[in-house]
Amino acid sequence: MCGRFIITDTAPDLAAMFDVEHEGENLPEPSWNIRPTEQIPIVLESARTDPAVRRLESARWSLIPSFATEPSSKFPTFNARAETAAEKPTFKTSVRSQRALVPATGYFEWRTEGTVKTPFFVHSDDGLPLAFAGLYSWWKNPAAANTDPARWVLSATILTTDARGPLAQIHDRTPVALPEEWWDHWLDPATEGDQALVDAAVAASREVLESLDFHEVAPVTGNGPELIAPLNVDPM
């Protein structure tokens, strides 16, 4: 799973990195401790124009399906299991044509041993940002007036898959991190998504996931670069 992550790049940096043609309003500032339901930057392609326009937008991190009557849910929606995303009512519409990239400098994961939880910071081995496979949805708040510009809420989730190799020593799940050659295909709204597409994306992510590094960090509290500093361990 991915319950906390960081993004230290600015909106202009992300726009350049992902060849974005339109930057949305109120994009969130860099953060070292992003929690579910907070705003995150996502990359998507709008099918409202031909050709589609690649956009960088601010989204609520916890997907609200279009059929929801309220933003809260009985179960967490900040992650979606890749193995079942195409069949779950909450996510299947987004799999079909509302797929996104979620930029991340890295993410936190906790290894649980008994009652002890040890935090680790997971990141690329070359220090470059990751691009998590995500899904998005537009939700119209039924309680808001049609004239209220905030009546439409953009939200997103991050796909996860089973962890393998060294990552599995920390947790059994990990975000699906896509290689750059998959970005265009994943975002293309003209490609009708199904479980086969999701499975192919997971397969393509394996090489990226196998290259990730991680190190133990201090308890994740506050918000600053010190959160990702390797924990000093006294020599034996």
Side-chain angles (χ1 to χ4, degrees):
M1 67 182 297
C2 175
R4 299 281 181 90
F5 73 99
I6 81 170
I7 178 66
T8 59
D9 293 278
T10 63
D13 290 338
L14 294 175
M17 190 180 311
F18 291 96
D19 295 325
V20 166
E21 300 164 87
H22 171 80
E23 290 185 45
E25 299 179 353
N26 301 317
L27 288 162
E29 296 293 327
S31 175
W32 282 263
N33 190 4
I34 303 172
R35 301 171 174 84
T37 74
E38 293 183 346
Q39 294 298 117
I40 61 172
I42 68 170
V43 179
L44 59 88
E45 287 191 358
S46 172
R48 294 182 179 181
T49 60
D50 187 17
V53 175
R54 184 166 297 187
R55 298 161 52 183
L56 180 67
E57 299 284 357
S58 177
R60 175 187 189 265
W61 183 29
S62 283
L63 190 140
I64 310 170
S66 59
F67 58 78
T69 57
E70 58 183 21
S72 59
S73 173
K74 293 181 180 179
F75 57 90
T77 60
F78 56 89
N79 286 164
R81 292 180 68 91
E83 298 88 339
T84 58
E87 65 184 47
K88 295 294 184 181
T90 299
F91 305 120
K92 65 180 182 180
T93 298
S94 297
V95 168
R96 190 175 303 125
S97 60
Q98 295 178 314
R99 298 177 299 274
L101 296 175
V102 180
T105 306
Y107 69 98
F108 295 106
E109 193 56 85
W110 284 259
R111 183 177 64 200
T112 301
E113 297 177 310
T115 60
V116 178
K117 291 188 176 182
T118 303
F120 289 82
F121 178 61
V122 185
H123 57 94
S124 64
D125 60 354
D126 55 12
L128 294 176
L130 301 168
F132 296 150
L135 307 172
Y136 73 91
S137 176
W138 285 102
W139 176 69
K140 186 178 181 180
N141 186 348
N146 286 334
T147 55
D148 186 348
R151 70 188 183 281
W152 285 102
V153 178
L154 177 62
S155 62
T157 189
I158 295 171
L159 289 177
T160 67
T161 185
D162 60 297
R164 299 181 184 179
L167 280 177
Q169 299 172 18
I170 305 175
H171 198 276
D172 62 348
R173 303 293 294 179
T174 186
V176 176
L178 293 177
E180 186 172 354
E181 59 267 24
W182 250 79
W183 295 355
D184 292 349
H185 186 46
W186 182 253
L187 292 177
D188 187 0
T191 298
E192 185 169 337
D194 54 15
Q195 191 59 50
L197 176 68
V198 176
D199 292 344
V202 170
S205 76
R206 289 302 181 191
E207 184 175 354
V208 178
L209 297 177
E210 290 173 1
S211 70
L212 297 182
D213 285 337
F214 57 86
H215 56 260
E216 186 178 346
V217 295
V220 183
T221 58
N223 190 338
E226 68 278 1
L227 295 182
I228 64 174
L231 188 66
N232 292 324
V233 178
D234 293 331
M236 297 294 292

